[in-house]
Amino acid sequence: MLERLRNKRVVFVGDSIGRNQWESLLCMLSTAVPDKSFIYEINGRPITKHDGFFIFKFRDYNCTVEYYRSPFLVPQGHGPAGAPKFVKSTVRVDSMDWMSGRRLHLYTRGAYFQEGNEVKMNMSVSDAYRRSIKTLFDWLQKNVNANKTQAIFRTYSPTHFSGGDWNSGGFCQQETLPDMTPFKSLEQWADMLKPVNDVLGSHHRPRLPGLDILNVTRMTAQRKDGHLSVFRSPLSSRQAHTNKTSEIKEVEDCSHWCLPGVPDVWNELLYTLFMKRQIMLEQTMPPFLAQEH
């Protein structure tokens, strides 16, 4: 894969799950480089949790593997002038955010959806998601040269919280085996997949030249055993002291993935899509250009 990526860039844009996949690819590619000093972050920055972007270069191949944090792909920020006071922030569904949930999580924090300068007080998450996907489609159509750039959209990565969420804790810690259901229903994630299928297309038939859909939802749903499990406490030491409690409960992370683990398989599929694209390009090029490419 490094040979195929010579003089190219791989760019991940997304939330912490996208970062999970980016870290996986870094680890996988680094196994092919004996001297790890030949792999470095071009700004000399160590990987920390809250940094918004990283660019790692593989020196001998003159390629970079990059990550840019953008949890919604569209931007989140303060509401427009004149918005009601209870609107603390908005998610702009009509513009792209390369540098920078669910409805309950958004609205209880005073976050609403915005289109232009108008706060859409009654816009549902489903409608906002569809509008955001349409914004992505329009941006790709306008700005991406399909002859030079391959765009890949990865579908939703299911979480496995049982009877709760981040705050109440999950029950993935005790899981030791995958869900062996042969054809696990995707109905639970229909609201996440239908807007993608309707606007971007499917992995069988994308609606835009140069676009591929990496559909990992069903296969990932079966890996309830592959999560990080217990990793932190819900209260910091200062909060625990303020609350005068010595008991700090651990919380399970049933959404992110262990490495090595599930994201490695996503990247194997990513490589397959990449190779498929390369082969198609080479078949349509004159021989001398195909060799150079």
Side-chain angles (χ1 to χ4, degrees), residues 1-12 22 25-26 29 38-43 53-68 270 274:
M1 186 173 187
L2 281 170
E3 285 292 349
R4 288 283 183 166
L5 291 176
R6 188 178 292 277
N7 302 319
K8 293 182 173 64
R9 301 170 63 198
V10 180
V11 179
F12 289 84
W22 166 76
L25 186 61
L26 273 183
L29 294 179
F38 291 178
I39 308 169
Y40 53 89
E41 209 284 327
I42 65 169
N43 297 301
F53 71 96
F54 297 98
I55 303 174
F56 272 82
K57 185 168 186 175
F58 289 74
R59 193 194 73 177
D60 286 351
Y61 299 89
N62 192 35
C63 71
T64 56
V65 181
E66 309 172 28
Y67 167 75
Y68 296 88
L270 183 76
F274 176 67

Side-chain angles (χ1 to χ4, degrees), residues 2-281:
L2 281 170
E3 285 292 349
R4 288 283 183 166
L5 291 176
R6 188 178 292 277
N7 302 319
K8 293 182 173 64
R9 301 170 63 198
V10 180
V11 179
F12 289 84
V13 181
D15 59 9
S16 56
I17 306 299
R19 174 172 168 153
N20 213 178
Q21 185 178 2
W22 166 76
E23 289 175 337
S24 162
L25 186 61
L26 273 183
C27 292
M28 295 174 78
L29 294 179
S30 69
T31 62
V33 180
D35 189 338
K36 304 308 186 226
S37 68
F38 291 178
I39 308 169
Y40 53 89
E41 209 284 327
I42 65 169
N43 297 301
R45 305 161 70 215
I47 296 178
T48 59
K49 181 178 180 181
H50 299 292
D51 282 340
F53 71 96
F54 297 98
I55 303 174
F56 272 82
K57 185 168 186 175
F58 289 74
R59 193 194 73 177
D60 286 351
Y61 299 89
N62 192 35
C63 71
T64 56
V65 181
E66 309 172 28
Y67 167 75
Y68 296 88
R69 176 172 169 77
S70 180
F72 299 102
L73 293 184
V74 291
Q76 182 182 26
H78 298 295
K85 290 184 178 180
F86 55 80
V87 177
K88 305 300 182 184
S89 64
T90 61
V91 176
R92 290 284 305 269
V93 297
D94 61 340
S95 61
M96 291 299 294
D97 168 35
W98 288 125
M99 284 292 295
S100 6
R102 300 279 179 175
R103 177 163 49 177
L104 285 176
H105 287 119
L106 290 172
Y107 291 175
T108 54
R109 295 176 184 172
Y112 291 80
F113 299 112
Q114 177 181 342
E115 193 167 4
N117 290 320
E118 181 183 357
V119 178
K120 299 289 187 176
M121 304 301 296
N122 297 314
M123 180 177 276
S124 68
V125 164
S126 178
D127 288 343
Y129 185 56
R130 180 180 297 275
R131 182 67 179 85
S132 300
I133 294 296
K134 177 65 165 57
T135 298
L136 172 64
F137 179 89
D138 292 342
W139 187 91
L140 290 171
Q141 192 171 37
K142 181 179 179 180
N143 294 281
V144 174
N145 183 342
N147 294 319
K148 294 183 177 180
T149 301
Q150 179 180 15
I152 299 174
F153 184 92
R154 178 182 49 74
T155 63
Y156 183 68
S157 166
T159 62
H160 290 91
F161 291 104
S162 301
D165 56 21
W166 278 96
N167 296 322
S168 58
F171 299 95
C172 57
Q173 181 184 11
Q174 304 302 323
E175 300 291 348
T176 58
L177 294 172
D179 182 346
M180 301 305 289
T181 305
F183 298 101
K184 192 171 182 67
S185 173
L186 288 173
E187 184 177 354
Q188 181 179 350
W189 302 284
D191 60 333
M192 304 298 293
L193 294 175
K194 192 173 188 308
V196 176
N197 293 336
D198 290 348
V199 178
L200 299 181
S202 68
H203 61 283
H204 294 299
R205 187 172 296 178
R207 297 183 185 273
L208 197 67
L211 174 66
D212 285 293
I213 309 297
L214 178 58
N215 192 334
V216 303
T217 304
R218 176 179 277 122
M219 58 166 282
T220 303
Q222 297 186 269
R223 287 303 309 274
K224 60 184 180 178
D225 60 316
H227 294 289
L228 297 176
S229 191
V230 171
F231 82 111
R232 68 176 175 89
S233 66
L235 298 177
S236 67
S237 58
R238 173 179 288 185
Q239 288 173 314
H241 179 74
T242 302
N243 294 337
K244 297 182 179 180
T245 176
S246 59
E247 181 184 3
I248 299 179
K249 295 181 179 179
E250 292 179 317
V251 174
E252 295 178 37
D253 182 348
C254 299
S255 59
H256 298 94
W257 302 95
C258 297
L259 295 179
V262 172
D264 297 336
V265 183
W266 301 348
N267 283 325
E268 289 175 350
L269 296 174
L270 183 76
Y271 182 42
T272 301
L273 289 175
F274 176 67
M275 287 296 296
K276 178 182 176 182
R277 158 84 174 209
Q278 292 291 303
I279 291 170
M280 290 176 62
L281 286 175

